[in-house]
Amino acid sequence: MDNRDEVREFLTSRRAKITPERAGLPAGSRRRVPGLRRSEVAALADMSVEYSAKLERGNLAGVSPAVLEAVARALRLDDAERAHLLHLAQAADGSDALTRPRRRSARQWTPHRSPQWTLDAITAGPASVRNGRLDILAANQLARAFHADVYATPRNQANLARFNFLDPASRRLYPDWELFADMAVAILRTEAGRDPHDKDLHDLVGELSTRSEEFRRRWGAHDVRHHGTGTKRFHHPAVGDLTLAFEGLEMAAEPGLTLTICTAEPGSPSEEELRLLASLSATEEAGTSTRHPAG
């Protein structure tokens, strides 16, 4: 895969973020670039300016791990950015086809009984399975109630990125909408580095870039991140404000899929609100079953 444009834009954007002071270099005067000069990156990475320029033009094919690590140190890349650079290099020389686990698209994955049983056994918080494109592939009852706005609009296609940028309801559910937008794009950008051949992801990015200036601007920033744990604020239309902790667990048996569980602090108002939402959801489901009995 020819990913030179992606490599060039990523390395250029990372260089622009590093100030001379952060890199331990004198700031000087009359600087014409917002971050480090290419020659300064070359010096920090202990390589020639010519070779550094070759890398920044997007030529990562055949580059050794030692060189990649030197570039990562010079640019002060975090763990997610380091991993992204490695994935870009693997894609550039074709080795990713041999080293990456087989990843399945949303259309190809149907939850087996045991993963759905696991989700259904989690009753204290929303639990769901998603892929790197942010498609919700399976969920427990509380997650379906929690993401009612996502499911309410068919054109969202149960995709959190599409909901975030194209559905006005997202600004109600996410009080910190800008933060959620940043995270969604960074997750998609990370997935693009891990699986550059994913046509569904290319189609999603193309759709969002065309329809959302907010997405387009963030996509151009080339930010990536690992999204494993943290705390988020929500405003659910049925129960109001909630603050929930989340944990994302990679599914070893299904490479590329993540099980995410949200929980509230014990004894907090958010825990009470989750219990209320679970009760409302159970009542609604029972009413639906009564109106439409099996058989």
Side-chain angles (χ1 to χ4, degrees), residues 65-294:
V67 169
L68 294 174
E69 180 58 30
V71 171
R73 284 197 306 269
L75 294 177
R76 302 293 181 94
L77 301 186
D78 62 23
D79 289 344
E81 291 168 329
R82 236 174 245 263
H84 188 62
L85 180 62
L86 178 60
H87 290 135
L88 291 175
Q90 290 174 334
D93 63 22
S95 62
D96 67 318
L98 298 176
T99 60
R100 68 177 186 271
R102 183 181 178 187
R103 304 165 74 82
R104 300 177 180 178
S105 72
R107 299 190 190 98
Q108 296 173 314
W109 190 76
T110 301
H112 302 299
R113 290 182 301 169
S114 55
Q116 189 62 58
W117 290 341
T118 301
L119 289 172
D120 292 339
I122 301 170
T123 58
S128 59
V129 174
R130 67 159 179 86
N131 58 22
R133 295 188 300 275
L134 296 178
D135 296 314
I136 302 175
L137 305 180
N140 67 357
Q141 180 176 308
L142 189 48
R144 291 191 295 272
F146 188 81
H147 290 297
D149 280 343
V150 180
Y151 292 112
T153 305
R155 63 176 175 271
N156 288 332
Q157 298 176 46
N159 179 272
L160 293 173
R162 193 177 278 111
F163 171 72
N164 207 132
F165 289 98
L166 303 183
D167 193 329
S170 68
R171 294 182 182 268
R172 176 182 62 185
L173 182 62
Y174 305 145
D176 303 313
W177 187 90
E178 298 281 342
L179 174 63
F180 277 78
D182 291 342
M183 289 192 297
V185 176
I187 291 170
L188 293 182
R189 177 63 80 175
T190 302
E191 180 68 6
R194 278 198 299 251
D195 196 354
H197 309 285
D198 186 340
K199 182 181 182 302
D200 290 337
L201 177 59
H202 283 249
D203 291 344
L204 176 63
V205 170
E207 176 190 357
L208 296 178
S209 296
T210 300
R211 300 179 61 188
S212 170
E213 191 279 331
E214 292 273 14
F215 177 86
R216 189 164 56 249
R217 174 169 56 81
R218 287 173 169 83
W219 186 254
H222 287 262
D223 290 333
V224 295
R225 66 177 293 152
H226 291 154
H227 190 67
T229 186
T231 302
K232 295 178 180 178
R233 296 193 308 135
F234 302 90
H235 179 84
H236 193 278
V239 296
D241 295 332
L242 304 99
T243 299
L244 302 179
F246 68 90
E247 294 289 336
L249 310 173
E250 296 296 322
M251 297 177 63
E254 299 288 351
L257 302 187
T258 301
L259 169 63
T260 300
I261 304 171
C262 295
T263 55
E265 181 181 354
S268 68
S270 293
E271 183 183 45
E272 290 300 316
E273 287 152 2
L274 275 184
R275 287 176 178 168
L276 174 58
L277 182 60
S279 176
L280 293 172
S281 174
T283 300
E284 181 178 349
E285 187 162 303
T288 301
S289 299
T290 301
R291 291 192 301 270
H292 304 286

Side-chain angles (χ1 to χ4, degrees), residues 39-48 52 66-67 69-75:
S39 59
E40 291 169 332
V41 174
L44 290 169
D46 194 23
M47 64 181 62
S48 70
S52 177
V67 169
E69 180 58 30
V71 171
R73 284 197 306 269
L75 294 177

